[in-house]
Amino acid sequence: MNCVYCQAPLPAASRRDRRYCNNSCRAWASYWRGRNGDPAPQPWQHEALAAEDPTLAAAARHAQQLAEARGWSRTTLRGVLDGLATVLRDLPSGARVPMSEVRDRPHRDVSRPRLAEVLGDLGLLRDDSTAAVRALIERVTGELAPGFAGPARRWLLVLPDGGPRAKPRSQATIYAYSAAARPILQEWGRTYDHLREVTPADIYTALEPMSGYPRRKTADALRSLFRFAKRNGLVFTDPTVGVRTPPIDPAMRPMTDGEIRAIEDLAGRPAERLAVALAAEHAARSGTIRRLKLDDVDLPNRRITLAGHDQRLGDLTYRAMRAWLGHRRATWPHSPNPHVLISRRTALGTGPVCHEFVRFSLGDSGFSIDQIRADRILHEALTAGPDPLHLSLVFNLDHATALRYTTVAEQILSDELEQQPTGEHE
């Protein structure tokens, strides 16, 4: 391309909408246009909007409409138009774009979710994700011994679609189950010839080095595998029967002053301070914080609805909420997302933020939102008295959960009483 005024070649790395080689040429061109009464040049538009291919042109116009409705930035829209030009170029009439091409073909600056949304709205997207899952299954089971590869392959292939007595599982579950079961099945394959030789002792041995979420995830994967194998006659007995894994609960103990100060230091951004305030003042779970919507917050009346439970908005949360909403309004003024917490990834859509967004740097330092929540409930039980009915009404807990916190509070109070000198509590 050449400069419109002096016809000098433009640098190779110039933007596509560049018309002049420098500001001087732009100024002289504007001067002579005004002097001669010439009309201003038409603004630059993406080539996809003026494409001769009707499919590409229609998709580009739909992307432009979505950008105006959803508040996409110019960079996001331009990237989506680039992606449309890439995947729809030379597309046969009546064909649809595979999801795998949407993930792989466009350059890295294209927003894949926005591109898939445009194609999906126009019926131009074909979801071939199942093929990727099946390729993963073949790769995972190909590394196993023959006596384990067959049952594992049949089990994993049934998970996406479900069965007569099994509901379909998501791709995330399949990835998690295969990753958890593969190293254990590989280890058993070095000792046994078939899956039916595995005993309950082998299950406990495999789970012994693990704790917390990894232990529970692995136990769930093995339980699913052996239940499937038993129903289909691949094994004689299910060795996972009777295997119990403790539920993933936060540590049932009050937090120390040092831990509280550490969390205050970690929560530096407005979104992080709001998440900590909701957990510390209202005992909100991380999932509840992620799914909290703007309609659930009534700032003028200082009310908030958490998991369907309407309650008064605490002072700490009120200040954190106002600070976050001000930041959100300044950063994403046109975001269509109805959730209170949004991120750079979710601001253009309507879904909630991911777990890692709420978790932020707490997890790296050994803390969690659920731990803060547990500390709030325990503090209430220690202050107002270990009454399960009171905890159920204040925090919308079921009876079993409230009773568990009450038991811990009674034990803490009993220990403190025993540690006092004899004359202090007489």
Side-chain angles (χ1 to χ4, degrees):
M1 295 180 61
N2 297 330
C3 174
V4 174
Y5 180 74
C6 68
Q7 298 302 315
L10 297 177
S14 298
R15 300 193 316 268
R16 287 171 291 178
D17 57 347
R18 183 171 180 177
R19 297 173 181 270
Y20 305 99
C21 53
N22 52 47
N23 291 334
S24 177
C25 287
R26 181 182 294 107
W28 278 111
S30 176
Y31 170 78
W32 285 112
R33 275 199 309 271
R35 185 78 177 270
N36 299 329
D38 297 333
Q42 293 295 325
W44 180 87
Q45 66 174 3
H46 198 282
E47 55 268 19
L49 294 169
E52 297 181 358
D53 184 353
T55 302
L56 176 56
R61 288 193 297 271
H62 183 63
Q64 197 172 38
Q65 294 170 0
L66 281 180
E68 295 175 357
R70 302 284 181 83
W72 295 358
S73 66
R74 293 175 59 187
T75 303
T76 300
L77 174 59
R78 186 174 297 176
V80 171
L81 294 177
D82 286 344
L84 290 173
T86 300
V87 298
L88 294 179
R89 185 180 294 118
D90 301 328
L91 184 71
S93 177
R96 293 185 296 170
V97 180
M99 188 65 185
S100 57
E101 288 196 13
V102 174
R103 295 193 182 102
D104 299 336
R105 283 189 62 186
H107 58 81
R108 61 184 180 87
D109 294 331
V110 176
S111 174
R112 265 71 174 179
R114 307 287 87 76
L115 176 59
E117 182 180 5
V118 174
L119 294 172
D121 289 347
L122 299 177
L124 297 173
L125 184 65
R126 176 169 59 86
D127 190 359
D128 59 347
S129 303
T130 305
V133 173
R134 294 184 182 276
L136 168 75
I137 294 173
E138 294 299 328
R139 185 171 65 254
V140 169
T141 55
E143 302 172 358
L144 304 178
F148 292 85
R153 181 181 294 107
R154 291 182 57 182
W155 164 58
L156 291 173
L157 287 174
V158 167
L159 289 179
D161 302 323
R165 289 183 291 175
K167 62 181 181 180
R169 299 290 183 173
S170 64
Q171 295 183 29
T173 300
I174 298 172
Y175 283 118
Y177 277 8
S178 61
R182 177 173 56 181
I184 297 176
L185 295 179
Q186 288 176 335
E187 183 64 27
W188 287 341
R190 300 186 183 98
T191 307
Y192 301 127
D193 295 329
H194 199 275
L195 186 68
R196 65 174 65 98
E197 301 178 48
V198 177
T199 64
D202 296 320
I203 302 294
Y204 281 108
T205 301
L207 296 177
E208 184 178 3
M210 307 177 191
S211 62
Y213 177 73
R215 178 185 175 94
R216 186 179 183 87
K217 180 183 67 174
T218 304
D220 289 344
L222 295 178
R223 193 176 291 115
S224 174
L225 167 61
F226 281 101
R227 284 177 180 174
F228 169 82
K230 181 67 168 60
R231 284 198 303 265
N232 292 272
L234 303 178
V235 296
F236 301 119
T237 59
D238 182 358
T240 63
V241 173
V243 175
R244 296 289 182 264
T245 55
I248 307 173
D249 284 338
M252 302 286 287
R253 60 177 181 80
M255 299 178 65
T256 64
D257 293 340
E259 291 174 336
I260 294 175
R261 286 193 295 270
I263 290 176
E264 291 175 351
D265 294 337
L266 290 172
R269 295 180 297 178
E272 297 168 353
R273 288 195 291 270
L274 176 59
V276 171
L278 286 169
E281 199 164 33
H282 297 275
R285 297 180 181 274
S286 57
T288 302
I289 296 173
R290 291 173 54 241
R291 292 187 291 269
L292 181 65
K293 294 188 175 181
L294 295 171
D295 292 340
D296 297 328
V297 181
D298 184 2
L299 282 181
N301 296 317
R302 294 204 174 194
R303 305 294 296 179
I304 188 171
T305 302
L306 294 170
H309 181 55
D310 180 70
Q311 52 192 289
R312 184 182 180 278
L313 190 64
D315 293 336
L316 175 64
T317 310
Y318 176 77
R319 293 193 298 270
M321 183 71 72
R322 290 193 59 180
W324 161 249
L325 292 179
H327 173 78
R328 169 189 163 130
R329 194 179 304 111
T331 308
W332 300 287
H334 305 294
S335 174
N337 199 312
H339 295 86
V340 172
L341 287 180
I342 60 175
S343 65
R344 180 178 57 85
R345 293 179 178 273
T346 64
L348 301 180
T350 58
V353 294
C354 61
H355 289 281
E356 287 73 15
F357 183 85
V358 178
R359 183 173 168 265
F360 57 99
S361 56
L362 285 178
D364 299 335
S365 302
F367 303 109
S368 68
I369 291 294
D370 290 336
Q371 183 181 357
I372 301 173
R373 172 180 181 270
D375 179 75
R376 173 66 183 94
I377 299 175
L378 280 176
H379 178 77
E380 182 70 22
L382 294 172
T383 304
D387 181 4
L389 179 59
H390 174 74
L391 296 181
S392 298
L393 294 175
V394 172
F395 300 110
N396 196 28
L397 304 176
D398 59 75
H399 178 71
T401 303
L403 189 61
R404 188 164 71 251
Y405 280 104
T406 301
T407 303
V408 175
E410 289 176 344
Q411 182 179 357
I412 293 174
L413 292 173
S414 176
D415 293 343
E416 291 179 353
L417 189 63
E418 291 178 357
Q419 292 175 3
Q420 290 181 1
T422 307
E424 287 191 13
H425 55 272
E426 291 182 351

